[in-house]
Amino acid sequence: FNSTIAINYQIPEPADVRLKVYDMCGRVMATLVNETQNTGKYRATWDAVTFPAGLYFVRMKAGTFTAAKKITLLK
């Protein structure tokens, strides 16, 4: 992606949702979501214009569900 990325996700039941971006060293670079959300579809946006190009990980935790995706920031 180039500077801004939108992350779409769906919550099947109300849950505490945490959506964070990490660098390759495991440091939290951004917290996109940190709240209880109801059932539904959501979109979180990360504006990475001030971050250096490279590999990052987006990690989502919602209730007992956890997932991580690798993303590449190109400049």
Side-chain angles (χ1 to χ4, degrees), residues 18-73:
R18 309 291 178 258
L19 184 61
K20 297 183 180 187
V21 179
Y22 296 86
D23 67 5
M24 290 297 293
C25 295
R27 294 178 293 218
V28 176
M29 304 308 289
T31 299
L32 306 179
V33 179
N34 187 18
E35 64 186 16
T36 300
Q37 293 182 328
N38 291 319
T39 303
K41 295 180 181 182
Y42 295 89
R43 173 181 283 196
T45 303
W46 182 38
D47 183 5
V49 71
T50 61
F51 293 88
L55 293 175
Y56 293 89
F57 293 93
V58 177
R59 182 174 183 259
M60 178 182 190
K61 183 167 174 41
T64 60
F65 174 81
T66 301
K69 298 285 183 176
K70 181 172 60 172
I71 58 175
T72 303
L73 173 60

